[in-house]
Amino acid sequence: MAAAAGVCSLIMLSSWLRGELSHWLENPKTADQILAPQVLWACLAGSLAFGLVTVAQQGVHPLTVWQTLAMGFWSASLLLAALIDLRSRLLPDRMTLALALFGLTLASQNQFVQLDQAVLGGLLGYAIPWATNRWAVRSGRGHGPQAPEPTAIGRGDMALLGGVGVWLGPSGVIWVLLASSVLLLLGLAAWRVLVLLMRRRSPRATSGLPMLPMLPMLPMGPAIAACAWIGPASLLQWPAGLDWVAIVADFAT
């Protein structure tokens, strides 16, 4: 059931997001290229949903129908977020809004977190990166010499973290924010090492190629999606709501 929900969710979301992508990119063909091949991504979304449900079934509570279907939608949404952000550096508002609204609907039924925790998680998911962004802009750390409107974290990333916070609550979204930041830093470090190795080992072979930047602008959406994907299953594994002490104690035993 979760795999079917993941496949259907990805197909419907892709069709719904195509219009917004065409608007921002000003080219419908480019939007179609970003979302292609749809069959492959639909199969991957179904596989991710099936894997997430398999992990969740190891928890202390049996899965409800709502939770099973929701994990399919969750997997498809995060896969699309990572794919679109990686290929276009955009995170459509329709997708993050749908993620937040569906999360609030689930919270009203006490499926993953309670409604008050969902609202608080959504607010924290948006407010923490927003505050970080404002600090970076004011201190001059969020821009380069050719960036007239600098940002440390994109507005789409803030909205995605807000949607994730609605699903996972305050503790969960803080966990995702920290983990995705570490993952992004590791990616930047790996890129820098790769560039240094290429310059040192084959300077002649790369002399005619454009200079690779030492610190590229990596999209944060894929890192957020990768770190958040396991969240619903973790909530069922640790009903305390991704409580840090409970997680550490569980692993210690």
Side-chain angles (χ1 to χ4, degrees):
M1 185 183 296
V7 171
C8 295
S9 296
L10 188 133
I11 294 174
M12 290 187 294
L13 283 172
S14 297
S15 300
W16 192 42
L17 298 176
R18 186 174 285 106
E20 185 177 355
L21 285 175
S22 300
H23 169 74
W24 288 111
L25 299 172
E26 300 180 351
N27 190 341
K29 292 184 178 180
T30 304
D32 292 335
Q33 292 173 356
I34 291 174
L35 296 172
Q38 193 176 67
V39 175
L40 174 62
W41 303 126
C43 293
L44 182 56
S47 300
L48 289 173
F50 178 80
L52 188 62
V53 168
T54 302
V55 175
Q57 287 175 342
Q58 309 302 318
V60 296
H61 298 297
L63 291 179
T64 65
V65 175
W66 270 93
Q67 291 170 344
T68 303
L69 295 175
M71 289 185 186
F73 178 83
W74 171 260
S75 299
S77 298
L78 293 184
L79 177 60
L80 274 178
L83 174 66
I84 294 173
D85 197 21
L86 190 62
R87 291 183 169 183
S88 67
R89 304 298 176 89
L90 293 172
L91 282 171
D93 293 330
R94 290 181 179 181
M95 181 182 61
T96 53
L97 180 61
L99 191 67
L101 290 178
F102 195 14
L104 287 174
T105 302
L106 292 170
S108 66
Q109 304 297 321
N110 295 325
Q111 292 301 313
F112 291 108
V113 295
Q114 295 181 353
L115 186 58
D116 58 338
Q117 293 295 303
V119 173
L120 180 58
L123 291 176
L124 284 178
Y126 194 92
I128 292 177
W130 180 86
T132 303
N133 188 63
R134 296 305 302 170
W135 169 82
V137 171
R138 290 186 178 182
S139 62
R141 298 174 182 270
H143 63 89
Q146 299 179 349
E149 295 183 358
T151 55
I153 303 175
R155 186 176 63 86
D157 299 324
M158 300 180 199
L160 180 60
L161 281 167
V164 168
V166 171
W167 282 67
L168 304 183
S171 299
V173 74
I174 292 175
W175 178 280
V176 170
L177 180 58
L178 292 175
S180 59
S181 299
V182 171
L183 185 60
L184 194 63
L185 290 175
L186 290 176
L188 290 172
W191 174 269
R192 187 164 187 171
V193 170
L194 179 62
V195 171
L196 289 175
L197 290 177
M198 290 179 62
R199 291 180 181 178
R200 291 182 180 180
R201 292 187 177 183
S202 55
R204 294 182 179 179
T206 58
S207 59
L209 298 177
M211 184 67 67
L212 295 175
M214 290 297 294
L215 291 175
M217 295 297 294
L218 295 180
M220 194 173 183
I224 296 173
C227 296
W229 171 73
I230 197 66
S234 300
L235 285 172
L236 298 176
Q237 289 276 7
W238 298 287
L242 290 178
D243 181 71
W244 294 51
V245 177
I247 295 175
V248 173
D250 185 77
F251 275 112
T253 57

